[in-house]
Amino acid sequence: MASIPAGAEAGAAALLKREARSERARLTTPILLGLGIAACGVAQALLIARLLATLLGRAEAGVADLAAAAALALLMAALAMAQERAQIAAGEDAKARLRAAAFARLLAAGPQDERAVGEKSALVVERIEALEGYFARWLPAAALAVLAPLLIAGAAALADPVSGLILLGAGLLVPIAQAISGIGAGVASRRQFAALQRLSGRFLDRMRGLPVLVLLNQQQAEASRLGAAAEELRARTMRVLRLAFISTGAMELIVGIALASLAYRHGHLVAGTHPAPVSALFTLLLVPVFFAPLRAFAGAYHEQLSARGAAADLAPLLAAHTPDGLLLEEVPPKVTVTFQDVRLTYDPSRPPALDGVSFRVLPGETLLLTGESGSGKTSILRILMGFRRPDGGRVAINGHDVTLLRPSELRRLCSYVGQRAHIFRGTIRDNIAFARPEADDAAILAAARAAQVTEFASDLPQGLDTLVGEGGFGLSGGQAQRVAVARAFLRDAPLVLLDEPTTHLDPGTEAVVLDALRRLCVGRTAIVATHARAARGYFGKVLQLSAGREAGDRMAGN
Amino acid sequence: MGRDLARVLALWSGRGAWLLAGVIAAVLSTLAGVALLVLAGRVVAGAVAQGQPGAVALAGLGLGALLWLRPVMLFRPVARYLERLVTHEATFRALADMRVWFFTRLAARLPAGIGLRQAGDLLARLVADVESLDGLYLRVLVPAASALAVVVAVAVAVGAADPGLAAVLALPLAAALLLPVALAPVAARAGQAVARAQGGLRSAVIDPLSGIEDTLAANAEARASARVAAEGAALAAAQRDLARRAAWGGAAGSLLVQVALLGTLGWALVAGQSGLAAGLMGVFLAIAAAEALGLMPRAGAALAAAGAGARRLFDAADTPEPVPDPVAPAAVPTGHALRVSGLRFRWAADRPLVFDGLDLDLPEGARIALLGPSGVGKSTLAALLLKFAAPEGGRITLGGVDIATLPAAELRRRVTWLTQDARLFDDTIAANLRLAAPDAEDAALWAALDRAQVGDVVRALPDRLETLCGEGGLRFSGGQARRLALARTLLSPASVVILDEPAAGLDADTERAFLQTLDDAMGGRSVILIQHHLLGVEHPTRILRLAAGRAIPAAG
């Protein structure tokens, strides 16, 4: 087995070991079946040796032996099929468990994890799939590569001790050759995965912005950059394989040496009549049977490296601390939000996003956050959404510190409309019901009306049941935003958080939506990040922010 | 399926030399492996036969074989190493070509965005399907060529001594060789199911992660996880089905090889002394051939997967181009006055008309403000002006030339559009800006950033122009990202600029300041400014309001 030096790989090894242990029961079946196949192979080799010796006039075998060999062939085919199924089953469980864990961690990390979506999806899909070979092929093959050759070399030794030793020696050379080529390959395998990850992340990113590329006549240039990235992937992968394939050549050399040694032992050294003709032919015929599990092991070796590379990428994600905290017994009907000298820094090399912000919003009140882009409006909302924990100060809801609550519980308290609503693939109705899946049709329709969604949906051939694509195909920016407002209506939560919800609306629509949003805010606690112009649409107190601090006095206004 | 795979091979033809070299190396290595076992068998058989009546010839053969054993033993590992190296090198080169080809095709076909095709699915297509094609060469063509070489070698070697035995031996082997082809259509269906399931899983992962804020805001974590688990289970079921079929193919293949082996033994037993030499060779050939043919059942599954991958790739790559370039393009116009007359358009036959007789005139250097509520078709007009869609009726001319007769690339060099959702790519600020002007000096980039009122923001960043933007410009606030996109548009050499809500996401003061300086920023270019409303600082030469599919002069 390759020893991989870097510290990150320790996590990978631990992860694979842990999963292998929990799959132990499922792995026994394919290993036992593999041993059965090897035993059948030995028995068949003996029968064929007897038949060959008979041809050469040195033994008495006949149709019965031939029939027995045929029966063994059928048995081996059946065992191989059973083994294949058992192997697949062994990988399935581990994959499902790890996939669920990885995806849950990505959701928990939320917008804080700034990796490209393509990169994240590669973790949950490709990286998990890369683990399959580890459980389905590598682990059974590794066990069989030790056990089956021992069984076969033992059988050979019973017939002729020297031949048994020759096979055993050849078998011992194989892992040595594997290890020598595997040490470098382990590191290179990680690089290959990094390249693959970048390639898939880059593609999704460029696909999403394809209109921009085409507009700027850059599609050809981008295609050649993609080609260069693919070329880099090729160079990296070939570096892995150049080493990995040395073991293939070494393996063939070992097979050749074993065959030649047996040929010399039984062909060259013997003068006159061979003392044990059946044994001589038997040990020779055992060579392909002996090397079959070792070949399977060599074939699976690269899968092990791939799995290790994948596991090294997954390990930090899976080891990440899942946000914990108290659960809400019930959603309170009224909430008071208090910020006390709250500080937040995203990136130590940049100025803090929030640098001592304090305010209080009571039930029925609306607080308007204004200020330039980057002044900290969105950061305040992110803390209240549980996407971020403040680095300093205190944020409380109804007097209780929000950091004690589990972030998802915090979100049960609020409805949220962001700057750019994400429209999921599905119907408009699905997209609204997303905010509260148990809502009935009447509630969805009421929310759609309140947010002016029905106004444009009624012009569509399928109305609210019109399919809208990922990214909101078929919906203009304003329409997508209205769907998001409808979600907030349907959600009916005590705390309303709005992040410049009317930025993309024209004045006509904006006025109507502002009216709807005002109604949404009535009787609830509302915090609205907004531009000065749109702020005139709300009634509430204004908190003007500048570089993460309050700028000037708080003033009453409308 | 055959046609798709033939088309894949045609796309690979540029890498023919590498691909052929790999096949030759594989054939040589396999034949060397067969020769090795046959030689060893001869040596031992010769020894065993020694002293037996009528076996002198065998013993002599055994000694000859001994001499050959060493060179073959040394040749085989080298050939095998070269085979694996060259075949993989060839595959990667061919696959890189395939990726670029596919991207280029999609760029011509889906310019208006991903639309109803899910991004997750497209990602599946490029990464997984392109990679499944490596199976076509590595796991189908190369093993098939090696296996064919073995079957032919066996038939020739044994056929020279005894044609009857050659038939007993070679026919089942040939059947094992052809088996994957026969099983491929069934395996193909299973392979398609796996590919579909994988696409489904990827979409289930990507959709909630793309809208992570909305997903979390709706407390939809459990729902998203349940969907991922369900799609994962569907994928596992599809993979299980595929494996089961592969196992059947594998069992059938190994049984056919056993038929050849045991048939040869039976033939030799019946033939007795007269067929001894040929029979012995046949048995060892059959044992050696088992290894070469052992890879063939897997070839069936690989063939099916490659076929399914190729089908999906070509499905996406062969969607008709929305606006194909003219076959005989007109001469490029010298002027850039834009005129729209009698324009009719709708997005789909079952959707209402967006434009019905729209007329618009944009003389050189003019600045039109185009107003109207969202959804009225302001952005659609821009899409038509840039040939992202073709009008149903009416004409659009640039410098007096109908744009339908201009190549899209020429048109887009002269007319550019800052879209509402202009994306920043996950690259540096400089790389994002240079998309518009690949040869621009840093000074030009700074000038554009300053004109877009974002120069000071970038100057304050530690990496300045080399700062990474994050996916979709995530590292910047909405307003900052918008201004960076604007700077990119300002760098474009186009003489007509369509600004679609250029100040959306900017705070009021910046918006006002920006629109005030728009005249300077634009120089002498013609401008179509798409806005919900005017702030009163824009000074357009004309104001038009879109309503009922037409452009109506308005007062602002």
Side-chain angles (χ1 to χ4, degrees):
Chain A
M1 202 171 284
S3 62
I4 305 167
E9 257 86 340
L15 170 74
L16 291 174
K17 206 171 181 180
R18 194 171 60 239
E19 291 300 320
R21 206 174 304 131
S22 56
E23 288 299 304
R24 187 174 283 169
R26 282 176 177 274
L27 286 167
T28 324
T29 322
I31 294 170
L32 288 178
L33 287 167
L35 282 177
I37 293 170
C40 288
V42 171
Q44 209 197 26
L46 182 62
L47 289 171
I48 293 171
R50 280 168 51 80
L51 285 162
L52 279 176
T54 308
L55 285 181
L56 295 164
R58 299 293 305 275
E60 300 295 327
V63 181
D65 298 69
L66 201 58
L72 282 171
L74 283 172
L75 183 59
M76 274 194 283
L79 288 175
M81 284 180 64
Q83 190 195 24
E84 186 112 4
R85 284 187 192 201
Q87 283 180 343
I88 287 282
E92 237 170 55
D93 256 18
K95 278 199 302 179
R97 202 170 43 240
L98 289 169
R99 187 184 296 125
F103 187 63
R105 295 298 201 292
L106 285 175
L107 286 177
Q112 214 169 330
D113 186 342
E114 288 185 353
R115 281 179 287 188
V117 169
E119 247 176 73
K120 293 190 203 171
S121 80
L123 281 174
V124 183
V125 183
E126 276 80 9
R127 238 44 63 75
I128 298 285
E129 287 299 311
L131 294 180
E132 173 178 281
Y134 184 81
F135 299 103
R137 283 176 291 280
W138 161 255
L139 286 179
L144 282 172
V146 176
L147 298 176
L150 278 178
L151 177 85
I152 297 161
L158 286 180
D160 174 39
V162 176
S163 301
L165 278 176
I166 290 173
L167 285 181
L168 195 64
L172 287 175
L173 283 177
V174 173
I176 294 171
Q178 297 286 344
I180 289 169
S181 64
I183 288 165
V187 180
S189 166
R190 292 247 313 135
R191 287 207 205 112
Q192 174 205 350
F193 269 96
L196 191 63
Q197 192 176 357
R198 265 205 304 285
L199 192 68
S200 87
R202 184 189 182 107
F203 179 60
L204 188 63
D205 187 47
R206 300 312 192 264
M207 257 0 266
R208 291 228 160 111
L210 198 52
V212 171
L213 293 170
V214 174
L215 263 171
L216 298 169
N217 278 330
Q218 285 293 304
Q219 66 272 41
Q220 281 306 329
E222 187 55 40
S224 53
R225 283 192 284 268
L226 193 69
E231 171 64 20
E232 192 204 343
L233 177 68
R234 181 192 67 78
R236 280 176 189 281
T237 312
M238 284 315 293
R239 218 173 299 145
V240 183
L241 297 182
R242 264 203 291 278
L243 286 166
F245 290 162
I246 288 177
S247 64
T248 315
M251 174 81 154
E252 294 306 329
L253 188 64
I254 294 166
V255 176
I257 289 171
L259 270 176
S261 307
L262 287 174
Y264 274 90
R265 156 115 185 109
H266 296 291
H268 187 61
L269 300 178
V270 177
T273 310
H274 198 291
V278 174
S279 297
L281 289 162
F282 174 55
T283 50
L284 186 70
L285 289 172
L286 277 183
V287 172
V289 187
F290 180 83
F291 280 101
L294 290 169
R295 277 185 204 284
F297 169 82
Y301 194 77
H302 189 239
E303 306 216 33
Q304 185 262 149
L305 288 181
S306 302
R308 200 154 279 238
D313 286 333
L314 282 167
L317 178 69
L318 292 174
H321 170 72
T322 27
D324 210 5
L326 302 173
L327 300 181
L328 281 175
E329 268 175 39
E330 55 177 359
V331 176
K334 305 268 174 209
V335 297
T336 300
V337 176
T338 317
F339 269 53
Q340 244 170 23
D341 195 27
V342 174
R343 283 183 307 279
L344 176 67
T345 306
Y346 293 115
D347 181 347
S349 68
R350 296 195 195 180
L354 294 179
D355 194 11
V357 171
S358 303
F359 61 80
R360 176 193 289 266
V361 199
L362 299 171
E365 274 187 343
T366 298
L367 176 72
L368 302 174
L369 306 171
T370 64
E372 289 179 18
S373 17
S375 61
K377 302 182 301 252
T378 301
S379 298
I380 289 174
L381 297 181
R382 282 192 176 168
I383 288 176
L384 287 169
M385 294 280 289
F387 295 163
R388 281 277 172 180
R389 294 257 152 123
D391 299 325
R394 180 181 148 94
V395 177
I397 284 184
N398 289 350
H400 303 288
D401 190 337
V402 297
T403 53
L404 298 176
L405 272 183
R406 190 179 289 183
S408 61
E409 292 298 299
L410 192 52
R411 292 190 282 272
R412 281 178 61 199
L413 296 170
C414 59
S415 314
Y416 168 78
V417 180
Q419 298 178 18
R420 275 175 284 190
H422 183 78
I423 299 298
F424 298 91
R425 187 182 159 89
T427 63
I428 297 176
R429 187 188 303 277
D430 294 341
N431 265 287
I432 296 173
F434 186 74
R436 190 154 65 86
E438 71 279 8
D440 59 15
D441 273 359
I444 294 172
L445 198 63
R449 275 214 193 91
Q452 309 286 319
V453 170
T454 37
E455 221 162 70
F456 68 82
S458 56
D459 288 341
L460 299 171
Q462 275 106 33
L464 284 180
D465 294 312
T466 304
L467 193 70
V468 286
E470 190 192 15
F473 180 90
L475 294 189
S476 73
Q479 289 167 341
Q481 207 61 9
R482 279 186 261 173
V483 170
V485 176
R487 281 184 195 149
F489 268 107
L490 187 64
R491 196 152 167 84
D492 194 22
L495 177 60
V496 174
L497 303 174
L498 307 176
D499 190 1
E500 307 188 16
T502 59
T503 301
H504 296 286
L505 303 186
D506 58 87
T509 317
E510 181 176 35
V512 185
V513 172
L514 278 177
D515 185 47
L517 285 172
R518 260 199 308 272
R519 269 183 282 125
L520 178 70
C521 296
V522 167
R524 299 186 168 97
T525 311
I527 298 178
V528 185
T530 181
H531 292 148
R533 177 173 54 76
R536 276 172 275 159
Y538 301 92
F539 298 98
K541 48 186 183 179
V542 174
L543 177 65
Q544 171 110 31
L545 290 168
S546 176
R549 291 164 174 273
E550 187 172 355
D553 291 329
R554 209 176 296 173
M555 46 189 174
N558 64 0
Chain B
M1 186 168 79
R3 209 173 314 142
D4 291 335
L5 294 179
R7 195 164 157 206
V8 171
L9 290 181
L11 284 170
W12 286 354
S13 60
R15 305 298 187 180
W18 276 103
L19 295 168
L20 191 65
V23 169
I24 292 171
V27 166
L28 287 178
S29 136
T30 309
L31 289 179
V34 172
L36 195 61
L37 191 67
V38 171
L39 288 171
R42 276 205 173 168
V43 172
V44 176
V48 167
Q50 216 158 41
Q52 293 302 302
V56 182
L58 271 180
L61 280 176
L63 280 176
L66 206 53
L67 291 177
W68 277 101
L69 205 52
R70 203 174 321 182
V72 175
M73 184 185 95
L74 293 174
F75 174 72
R76 159 90 167 150
V78 176
R80 185 97 175 97
Y81 179 74
L82 285 178
E83 170 209 333
R84 304 214 62 186
L85 212 55
V86 176
T87 52
H88 280 78
E89 187 81 46
T91 316
F92 279 119
R93 282 169 197 271
L95 289 185
D97 292 356
M98 196 80 201
R99 278 194 189 95
V100 171
W101 176 85
F102 185 62
F103 182 84
T104 314
R105 292 280 287 202
L106 279 188
R109 272 155 188 80
L110 293 172
I114 295 163
L116 289 173
R117 280 173 202 278
Q118 286 185 281
D121 211 29
L122 273 179
L123 181 70
R125 285 199 166 124
L126 190 79
V127 178
D129 289 346
V130 169
E131 268 149 27
S132 78
L133 290 182
D134 71 355
L136 176 61
Y137 179 66
L138 286 180
R139 282 185 281 282
V140 181
L141 293 179
V142 168
S146 308
L148 182 66
V150 169
V151 173
V152 169
V154 165
V156 169
V158 180
D162 193 309
L165 177 61
V168 170
L169 183 54
L171 285 182
L173 293 181
L177 176 59
L178 291 175
L179 188 70
V181 181
L183 292 178
V186 184
R189 275 196 292 281
Q192 272 158 4
V194 168
R196 251 196 319 275
Q198 209 152 21
L201 173 62
R202 212 176 264 107
S203 289
V205 170
I206 285 181
D207 206 14
L209 289 180
S210 300
I212 184 80
E213 297 199 353
D214 293 276
T215 303
L216 296 177
N219 285 104
E221 295 99 317
R223 277 177 276 156
S225 297
R227 192 176 152 214
V228 166
E231 295 284 0
L235 174 62
Q239 284 169 333
R240 219 179 301 135
D241 186 50
L242 185 66
R244 197 168 48 80
R245 284 170 204 281
W248 273 105
S254 64
L255 282 179
L256 280 168
V257 175
Q258 289 280 346
V259 167
L261 170 63
L262 299 177
T264 306
L265 270 171
W267 181 91
L269 280 177
V270 174
Q273 275 302 320
S274 63
L276 182 56
L280 271 178
M281 182 161 74
V283 169
F284 283 106
L285 277 173
I287 292 171
E291 195 196 315
L293 285 159
L295 292 171
M296 286 311 289
R298 302 244 171 262
L303 185 65
R311 182 70 256 141
R312 285 155 50 94
L313 281 175
F314 290 135
D315 266 352
D318 289 344
T319 42
E321 284 186 57
V323 190
D325 266 349
V327 184
V332 174
T334 46
H336 57 269
L338 203 58
R339 180 185 288 270
V340 178
S341 48
L343 192 69
R344 279 169 60 84
F345 178 76
R346 64 181 109 201
W347 279 108
D350 61 346
R351 299 237 168 159
L353 276 173
V354 183
F355 302 123
D356 191 6
L358 177 120
D359 297 311
L360 184 91
D361 217 350
L362 182 73
E364 291 186 21
R367 289 184 311 281
I368 289 185
L370 199 60
L371 313 177
S374 62
V376 79
K378 301 187 300 282
S379 303
T380 304
L381 180 62
L384 286 164
L385 292 175
L386 281 139
K387 285 183 67 167
F388 280 123
E392 203 173 284
R395 258 163 68 88
I396 304 170
T397 60
L398 178 72
V401 179
D402 193 334
I403 63 166
T405 64
L406 287 174
E410 288 296 335
L411 175 68
R412 288 170 199 153
R413 213 159 281 151
R414 287 160 178 78
V415 184
T416 195
W417 173 22
L418 174 67
T419 57
Q420 272 193 44
D421 54 354
R423 264 182 86 86
L424 294 177
F425 294 98
D426 190 7
D427 211 331
T428 61
I429 292 175
N432 267 290
L433 293 179
R434 287 206 172 94
L435 286 174
D439 302 322
E441 304 276 336
D442 278 5
L445 303 188
W446 285 114
L449 290 170
D450 285 333
R451 275 188 286 162
Q453 317 261 327
V454 73
D456 292 335
V457 173
V458 178
R459 249 173 233 113
L461 299 173
D463 294 329
R464 292 157 70 94
L465 284 176
E466 296 309 310
T467 308
L468 290 169
C469 295
E471 190 191 13
L474 201 74
R475 305 260 164 93
F476 295 101
S477 75
Q480 288 166 345
R482 190 71 187 144
R483 280 182 275 173
L484 288 171
L486 193 72
R488 182 168 64 194
T489 303
L490 293 177
L491 270 168
S492 154
S495 35
V496 180
V497 181
I498 303 166
L499 299 172
D500 201 345
E501 307 274 349
L506 271 61
D507 54 282
D509 294 343
T510 319
E511 179 183 16
R512 185 170 285 267
F514 167 71
L515 291 173
Q516 251 161 356
T517 57
L518 202 60
D519 281 2
D520 286 347
M522 290 297 141
R525 295 188 261 204
S526 312
V527 178
I528 298 179
L529 177 65
I530 296 176
Q531 289 272 81
H532 289 317
H533 64 287
L534 291 178
L535 293 186
V537 296
E538 295 91 350
H539 314 300
T541 50
R542 278 185 83 195
I543 303 169
L544 295 171
R545 187 172 290 280
L546 274 185
R550 292 161 186 266
I552 302 154

